[in-house]
Amino acid sequence: MPHSSFLSEVKDAVTPRATLLILGVIALQLLFIASYVGALHDPKPKDVPFAVVAPQAASAQAVTRLERLPGSPLDPRALPDAATARNQITNRDIDGALIIDPAGTDTLLVASGGGRVLANTLTTLVTTLERSEKRTLRTVDVIPSATHDPNGLSSFYLVVGWCVGGYLGAAALAISAGAKPSNPERAAIRLAVMALVGIIGGLGGALITGPILDALPGSTAALWGLGALIIFAVGAATLALQGVFGTIGIGLVILLVVILGNPSAGGALPPPLLPPFWKAIGPALPPGAGTWATRSIAYFENNAMTTSLLVLTAWAVAGAAITLVAAALRKRADTTPPAHTP
């Protein structure tokens, strides 16, 4: 091939659009590495909601001692009795509790169903403190993770799968019929397809992790409904970003859901062990809201789910609305005749 012909082929292949897309891929790759390593490389407990149950004279002293620990790993508060502490763990108000018995062995209550890493971290921390005071300690896991979910990660992986179904489903629609629907009717059809994908995918995920693999306890019907909402929320958000930005919208969804959402979801590391930035954004993104709600269904008697469900609903509603509005504006632009120039 002549040298000039080869250069011409390269010039035709390396268009400005292709160059921007490749640069975007490289940027997403580097952001992926920075996000995951930044969030997960150095877990440290920070302001873990924690309770102390002790005789009145010792209670305030124990809370003060825990408040003054270097780095503020715990956010302690006094509770009147062990039953109240167990109830607050079940309600997801606290992550652990220390029951002090001046005449005998102290008891640490943890809940590995909310994340094995956090339960182990609290056990190590409190055991070290008790040893420094020459006291004995026993640990009781009041909400243990399931036998086939020893590390409490099945809920996170289930939600990741549901999120993948959401944005890949929307991406498949874009590949088959163009990133931007030409009118609101076509946009509505895409949203209806995503709702169907959510119903089927939500049921499939609930059955696989529940009755089939016995990885998660809790209501299969509740997990099905949650899965359908997660898939539709992510799918609608993907359709919205594609409707506004075209193919680039898929990259933006990957940025929000995968690069920012997954490491901040509280799966590998529960929220109290995440750095401040990831701890702050996690609950507002679908993976974080979904993981919290899934664990609530599986282990915590459906408690403390309202905020997560509202977050997922907001993503679904906003995504659907933007998808329809973007399609309507596109139709209007396509049908508006060009202005006449005298």
Side-chain angles (χ1 to χ4, degrees):
M1 177 183 296
H3 183 66
S4 59
S5 177
F6 174 75
L7 291 179
S8 177
E9 292 289 338
V10 171
K11 183 178 179 180
D12 290 340
V14 186
T15 63
R17 177 182 173 82
T19 301
L20 288 174
L21 288 174
I22 291 298
L23 291 176
V25 169
I26 294 173
L28 287 176
Q29 168 189 287
L30 297 179
L31 287 171
F32 183 97
I33 295 170
S35 180
Y36 278 70
V37 176
L40 307 177
H41 79 290
D42 187 23
K44 293 179 180 178
K46 179 69 173 178
D47 295 327
V48 180
F50 192 80
V52 175
V53 177
Q56 187 171 4
S59 179
Q61 181 180 359
V63 169
T64 300
R65 184 175 73 252
L66 295 178
E67 286 177 335
R68 293 177 178 175
L69 290 175
S72 300
L74 302 177
D75 177 19
R77 73 286 313 264
L79 293 179
D81 51 53
T84 302
R86 287 174 176 266
N87 186 58
Q88 289 205 8
I89 290 175
T90 302
N91 291 336
R92 309 199 76 177
D93 296 323
I94 59 176
D95 292 311
L98 176 62
I99 316 299
I100 297 176
D101 181 1
T105 299
D106 296 341
T107 302
L108 172 65
L109 305 181
V110 296
S112 62
R116 174 71 64 180
V117 176
L118 179 56
N120 290 343
T121 299
L122 288 176
T123 300
T124 301
L125 175 63
V126 177
T127 298
T128 301
L129 291 174
E130 292 282 285
R131 285 177 180 171
S132 69
E133 298 182 0
K134 297 181 171 54
R135 298 187 61 81
T136 57
L137 178 74
R138 70 186 183 104
T139 300
V140 177
D141 194 346
V142 296
I143 303 179
S145 55
T147 303
H148 298 126
D149 183 30
N151 295 315
L153 291 174
S154 295
S155 53
F156 170 61
Y157 292 132
L158 173 60
V159 171
V160 169
W162 279 333
C163 289
V164 168
Y167 64 74
L168 286 186
L173 291 173
I175 292 172
S176 64
K180 298 180 178 181
S182 58
N183 56 59
E185 291 76 17
R186 291 181 179 275
I189 291 173
R190 294 191 184 192
L191 289 169
V193 170
M194 286 311 309
L196 181 61
V197 171
I199 292 171
I200 297 173
L203 176 60
L207 291 175
I208 290 170
T209 56
I212 295 176
L213 298 180
D214 195 25
L216 287 178
S219 166
T220 298
L223 287 174
W224 178 11
L226 177 64
L229 176 58
I230 291 171
I231 293 171
F232 182 77
V234 174
T238 306
L239 291 176
L241 290 172
Q242 289 176 164
V244 175
F245 299 104
T247 305
I248 296 175
I250 298 175
L252 294 177
V253 170
I254 293 174
L255 173 64
L256 290 171
V257 175
V258 179
I259 293 176
L260 294 178
N262 286 352
S264 65
L269 294 179
L273 299 179
L274 291 171
F277 173 74
W278 282 270
K279 181 179 179 180
I281 67 172
L285 297 174
T291 299
W292 179 273
T294 302
R295 281 179 171 157
S296 289
I297 292 172
Y299 294 112
F300 295 93
E301 302 178 3
N302 300 328
N303 290 318
M305 291 178 56
T306 302
T307 299
S308 295
L309 293 178
L310 288 175
V311 167
L312 292 169
T313 301
W315 277 82
V317 172
I322 293 172
T323 298
L324 294 171
V325 170
L329 293 176
R330 182 176 177 82
K331 179 181 180 181
R332 181 179 178 180
D334 290 343
T335 56
T336 300
H340 177 68
T341 303

